């Protein structure tokens, strides 16, 4: 059928086809299946983002179940919101409480609990359980999911601080290991050698941002700067770099999160009336800063500030149309809002629940074929390299 065409031509044809058609064509013949599998392997960035859909994760504290839904933003009538909501089947159950959400990139989710890592693609309804990490032991770990555009590969990053105070000048650098979806195994990298001294990743719960082949953590510089910074880890050359923030704007332990706004590295920055546990405290306002020119500190620009004066709330992310997704906690439950920073209009998206529900994540819904060539819940049989313990 396709065998007589050059692979470059097939790639162009496959790129023009809807993703559902590609899935169906895999069943035509073994040769079609092989060709489409090769296409997926060479085109992991292949995805389709529907700007009118948002994927929302929330937790049921009473039943210890996490749920996912798709919602549409194009409804201004709250009475018809129920018709704009679609339940997504979540195929996993946590062994303990809830999965920690490491992050999502191009429709691929990474979840974690007790050294158990899961990659899940809700579009094709597939997930895999990763092999056990190489580094074992009790120590602080920071996690991220990102896309290595240089090597066309999705990667999970695990930064393990060793049992020495990282703030001190002679502290041991962390051990850094990376799981490659393409290779199917963990690998301890030399990334720790480039880890800057007296830098610690913020403990404030927020998923690391992924952009331009790197992942970005909010962090603190305990050296002379004594300020908040952004710590990046390049997934291609596996090197850490520090990105400074506007001078004097962000002190140590500032409540900031890294994000992506209009394709640019951005910060979501909270100003509180009083300090509380994590983000669930009295929030006065939230500002969004954008780095207009990557790597240039002077290009940090305050994009806008929202002053909704909600007592308990947090920003979950951005729609494709640059509206902000905001979660508000009320006496009897949670509400999800869309906020337009230009018109300052607030649109109630519903999802009013009892107090046992809490929204923890929202992002644009992306259709992707990653993991299509892998069976469900398979642990890679490839050898886990460089097995070692943290001392």
């Amino acid at each position: 059928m396709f065998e007589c065409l050059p692979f470059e031509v097939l790639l162009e044809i496959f790129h023009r086809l809807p993703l559902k058609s590609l899935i169906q064509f895999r069943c035509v013949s073994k040769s079609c299946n092989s060709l489409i599998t090769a296409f997926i392997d060479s085109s992991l960035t292949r995805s389709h983002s529907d700007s009118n859909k948002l994927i929302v994760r929330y937790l049921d504290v009473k039943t210890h179940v996490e749920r996912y839904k798709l919602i549409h933003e194009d409804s201004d009538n709250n009475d018809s919101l129920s018709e704009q909501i679609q339940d997504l089947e979540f195929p996993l159950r946590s062994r303990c409480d809830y999965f920690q959400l490491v992050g999502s990139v191009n429709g691929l989710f990474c979840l974690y609990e007790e050294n158990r890592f899961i990659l899940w693609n809700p579009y094709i309804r597939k997930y895999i359980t990763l092999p056990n990490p190489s580094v074992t032991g009790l120590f602080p770990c920071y996690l991220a999911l990102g896309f290595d555009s240089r090597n066309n590969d999705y990667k999970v990053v695990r930064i393990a601080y060793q049992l020495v105070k990282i703030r001190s000048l002679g502290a041991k650098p962390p051990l850094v290991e990376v799981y490659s979806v393409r290779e199917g195994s963990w690998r301890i990298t030399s990334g720790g050698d480039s880890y800057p001294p007296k830098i610690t990743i913020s403990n404030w719960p927020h998923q690391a941002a992924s952009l331009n082949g790197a992942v970005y953590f909010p962090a603190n510089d305990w050296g002379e700067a004594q300020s908040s910074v952004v710590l990046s880890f390049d997934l291609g050359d596996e090197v850490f770099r520090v990105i400074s923030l506007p001078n004097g704007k962000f002190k140590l332990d500032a409540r900031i999160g890294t994000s992506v706004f209009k394709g640019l590295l951005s910060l979501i920055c909270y100003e509180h009336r009083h300090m509380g546990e994590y983000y669930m405290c009295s929030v006065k306002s939230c500002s969004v800063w954008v780095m207009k020119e990557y790597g240039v500190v002077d290009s940090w620009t305050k994009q806008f500030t929202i002053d909704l004066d909600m007592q308990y709330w947090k920003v979950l992310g951005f729609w494709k149309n640059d509206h902000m997704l905001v979660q508000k906690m009320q006496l009897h439950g949670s509400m999800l809002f869309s906020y337009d920073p230009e018109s300052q209009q607030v649109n109630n998206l519903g999802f009013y629940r009892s107090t046992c529900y809490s929204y923890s994540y929202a992002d644009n819904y992306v259709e992707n074929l990653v993991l299509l060539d892998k069976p469900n819940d398979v642990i890679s049989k490839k050898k886990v390299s460089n097995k070692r313990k943290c001392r």
Side-chain angles (χ1 to χ4, degrees), residues 104-240:
S104 68
V105 179
N106 295 335
L108 183 67
F109 282 73
C110 182
L111 306 165
Y112 166 79
E113 66 167 0
E114 293 186 338
N115 284 339
R116 179 190 179 201
F117 287 85
I118 304 291
L119 290 177
W120 174 50
N121 186 336
Y123 177 66
I124 60 173
R125 301 180 181 180
K126 280 197 173 184
Y127 70 95
I128 62 172
T129 302
L130 307 189
N132 291 330
S134 305
V135 178
T136 60
L138 297 176
F139 42 82
C141 287
Y142 295 88
L143 310 172
L145 173 69
F147 180 72
D148 179 0
S149 53
R150 188 180 309 176
N151 298 301
N152 201 36
D153 192 7
Y154 288 89
K155 294 181 176 180
V156 180
V157 179
R158 191 166 179 261
I159 303 170
Y161 287 135
Q162 303 188 61
L163 298 180
V164 178
K165 288 187 177 180
I166 197 69
R167 298 183 191 180
S168 61
L169 187 60
K172 291 183 180 180
L175 295 174
V176 181
E177 59 180 336
V178 173
Y179 178 86
S180 163
V181 171
R182 184 181 293 278
E183 296 175 1
S185 63
W186 291 96
R187 177 176 56 86
I188 294 180
T189 76
S190 60
D193 296 339
S194 64
Y195 193 91
K198 297 188 177 181
I199 298 291
T200 60
I201 296 174
S202 173
N203 287 320
W204 191 52
H206 195 282
Q207 289 74 34
S210 175
L211 179 70
N212 298 332
V215 290
Y216 304 85
F217 301 88
N220 294 299
D221 184 348
W222 299 94
E224 293 183 2
Q226 291 285 302
S227 65
S228 294
V229 295
V230 171
L231 179 66
S232 72
F233 180 71
D234 191 295
L235 298 173
D237 60 21
E238 297 178 342
V239 170
F240 285 99

Side-chain angles (χ1 to χ4, degrees), residues 4 18 25 40 57 64 149 152 169 187 262 279 288 313-314 319 322 326 334 363 386:
C4 59
F25 286 161
I40 295 171
R57 177 202 195 217
H64 296 269
S149 53
N152 201 36
L169 187 60
R187 177 176 56 86
K262 293 186 176 181
Y279 48 77
V288 174
W313 68 289
K314 75 169 183 175
W319 290 97
D322 304 331
V326 178
S334 300
D363 198 5
N386 298 327

Side-chain angles (χ1 to χ4, degrees), residues 47-55 70-74 319-320 363-367:
S47 61
H48 173 68
S49 177
D50 187 341
S51 61
N52 293 323
K53 288 184 180 180
L54 185 79
I55 186 167
L70 292 181
I71 64 172
H72 295 256
E73 191 204 20
D74 54 357
W319 290 97
K320 285 293 182 181
D363 198 5
N364 292 283
Y365 181 62
V366 179
E367 298 175 352

